[in-house]
Amino acid sequence: MAKILDLKKSVYELVKEYPEIIDIMSESGLSEIRKKAVLNSVGKLMTIPKGTKFKKIDLDSIVDRFKAEGFEVINVPNDSSHNEDNPHSTEDSNNRLELLKSYLTRLNNGESLEDVRADFVNAFRSVDASEIMSAEQELLHEGAPLKQVQKLCDVHSALFHDKIKEAKEQEQSTIAMAKENATKATALIAVDGHPLQTMTRENQALKSLIDTARKQLGNNIDCSETLEKIREAAVHYAKKGDLLYPMLNARYGIIGPSQVMWTLDGEIRSELSSLIKATDHDDEWKGRVRAVLQRMNEMIYKEDNILFPVCAANFSEEEWKQIYRDSRDYAVCLDVKPLTWADAERTNKEDNKKVSNDGIINLPTGSFTIEQLTALLNTLPFEITFVDADNINRYFNEGHKEFKRPLTALGREVFTCHPPKVEPMVRAIIDDFRNGRRDLVPVWLMKNGRATLVKYMAVRDSSGNYLGTMEIVQDMEEARRYFEKDK
């Protein structure tokens, strides 16, 4: 039976059908396809013609190689469709990655976003979204400053607006794949209680509030109260930061959202807090309000059309059920009370009936059953997290937590659980513990109006060898009030 290679299919589909083509593609210059994370993310959106075009590899040569290996290659694009001239390309700036960098340079030099956005849409009219996502990831891997790539994220959304309008006129397999991902997301959103349904409902509520605030500004009506309500979107952003971005990054190698969107979320939250605290609501303040509302509107669009479909295409049902269970630890956001996901609740009850081991755990100073030890750790009046010597999250106790600990964090690097601006501090603390420079780092702070002590402690064996890091979070409000009453 002939082996038929359809170049309209995604790289991911072709590799599943014919795993041996990985070697052919790698030897022909598409070496990144050997990385599982790349195959499972960009590979689901990229076709071989698009990949060779992006990498500046001759498509005919790789087609000839496939034929030599016994494949019948169909739907090979002709020269005009594969090598379509870019109206904004020059001999000095023909590489798409360099062209993207030039846009970032223009933005950094003070050129208006709208001017750059217009050129971006025109220049990349024939390029699908997967190439832009791949370019963003390559920029990050090359060491481009996160702030620069973040600016590209705002321009990036213009491409998706343009592509959706043109989707009916295009028959590229990448567009079909994008539609398929969107269909998957729509199906999950229709499931009562599914995390994507809840987050979509939150976005709908947020959009309504944004419209209200804009009307109030237009009519010179004070929008402070509406802005305070909009601030609840911080819970929505926190769920993305804890449950979606790290999963895409750690398990599927899709780093764009975690590196770019996560930072944007933080900036939006910070600007909202600053605006709410401001006492002078002059024209400058109103301009800042309009700007942050526009950024939030763009973020809603990016979630609905980029983030949610990508998550729907990659996350397994079990991962979604874990996210559902973890979501219950968060406050109700924008008056959107989550519905019950019956299937996830049923699975949770079945899991709770399973006993992995009812034997005795013998320790140097005593013994426990698993049930006893679990209950004891959960009774301690503080939150415990343990990260092993390989920087992998291994354990946290159950119960109410000021700092959320999603089940999906277990088994992955601790660094993926922190926003980009916090990650360097976490790395520095663990490096000090590992190399014996410190054993304890205490951090005192006010959390939700309560005095809180966070302790990072090195865990070592009897010989002083580093085994991991323990984090303890303890509410100190009762102690603070006790000592203050005698003053």
Side-chain angles (χ1 to χ4, degrees), residues 6 9 39 41 53 65 102 109 112 136 141 146 152 208 221 268 271 274-275 300 327 352 369 375 410 475 479 485:
D6 185 352
K9 292 183 177 181
L39 178 63
S41 56
K53 185 177 180 181
R65 176 68 190 279
S102 74
N109 289 340
S112 75
E136 284 181 345
H141 285 307
L146 182 59
L152 182 62
S208 178
I221 299 173
I268 289 171
E271 178 68 352
S274 176
L275 289 167
I300 291 173
S327 295
N352 288 339
T369 64
L410 296 175
D475 186 314
K485 71 181 181 180

Side-chain angles (χ1 to χ4, degrees), residues 254-443:
I254 302 175
I255 67 172
S258 64
Q259 291 292 307
V260 180
M261 280 186 167
W262 205 348
T263 301
L264 286 171
D265 292 344
E267 291 186 351
I268 289 171
R269 284 196 301 250
S270 178
E271 178 68 352
L272 281 172
S273 295
S274 176
L275 289 167
I276 289 170
K277 291 176 182 177
T279 56
D280 189 358
H281 294 181
D282 56 11
D283 288 342
E284 180 186 354
W285 181 86
K286 292 176 182 177
R288 287 172 59 196
V289 171
R290 290 188 179 94
V292 77
L293 293 178
Q294 178 60 28
R295 295 188 81 183
M296 296 185 82
N297 236 1
E298 284 293 325
M299 182 58 72
I300 291 173
Y301 186 86
K302 291 166 189 171
E303 289 177 26
D304 291 344
N305 295 279
I306 303 172
L307 178 63
F308 294 168
V310 168
C311 291
N314 287 279
F315 293 176
S316 68
E317 183 176 1
E318 180 53 38
E319 287 168 340
W320 279 123
K321 289 178 179 178
Q322 287 182 347
I323 291 171
Y324 168 79
R325 291 192 287 269
D326 289 330
S327 295
R328 293 181 298 192
D329 289 337
Y330 294 80
V332 173
C333 174
L334 301 169
D335 299 326
V336 176
K337 187 174 182 180
L339 302 177
T340 299
W341 185 9
D343 193 32
E345 292 289 345
R346 192 160 43 246
T347 301
N348 190 37
K349 289 180 181 178
E350 292 171 358
D351 289 344
N352 288 339
K353 293 178 182 178
K354 298 176 182 177
V355 178
S356 58
N357 186 351
D358 60 356
I360 301 297
I361 299 173
N362 292 300
L363 301 175
T365 55
S367 61
F368 301 93
T369 64
I370 290 179
E371 182 180 17
Q372 291 169 339
L373 182 57
T374 300
L376 184 148
L377 292 170
N378 291 340
T379 304
L380 293 174
F382 39 75
E383 304 168 26
I384 298 176
T385 300
F386 176 68
V387 179
D388 70 13
D390 295 321
N391 305 326
I392 303 299
N393 292 314
R394 289 301 177 194
Y395 171 81
F396 53 80
N397 58 349
E398 300 170 272
H400 172 76
K401 291 180 173 57
E402 290 297 329
F403 294 89
K404 305 304 182 197
R405 300 292 187 272
L407 291 172
T408 51
L410 296 175
R412 70 173 187 240
E413 273 201 330
V414 64
F415 309 122
T416 66
C417 302
H418 295 83
K421 68 177 182 180
V422 177
E423 182 180 333
M425 181 191 74
V426 178
R427 288 185 179 275
I429 290 173
I430 291 179
D431 187 65
D432 282 353
F433 288 172
R434 188 186 307 280
N435 292 286
R437 290 188 288 268
R438 289 191 286 182
D439 289 313
L440 171 66
V441 176
V443 178

Side-chain angles (χ1 to χ4, degrees), residues 100-101 103-104 107 113 116 120 132 135-136 139 146-158 260 302:
L100 284 170
K101 290 178 180 177
Y103 292 141
L104 294 177
L107 288 169
L113 176 62
V116 177
F120 178 84
I132 306 300
E136 284 181 345
L139 281 165
L146 182 59
K147 286 285 185 182
Q148 288 189 2
V149 183
Q150 176 189 324
K151 288 183 179 180
L152 182 62
C153 187
D154 289 333
V155 186
H156 185 177
S157 65
V260 180
K302 291 166 189 171

Side-chain angles (χ1 to χ4, degrees), residues 204-223:
Q204 291 167 348
L206 178 57
K207 189 166 183 59
S208 178
L209 287 167
I210 290 172
D211 291 341
T212 297
R214 283 174 164 172
K215 290 177 183 177
Q216 290 172 333
L217 285 169
N219 294 320
N220 288 321
I221 299 173
D222 182 27
C223 66

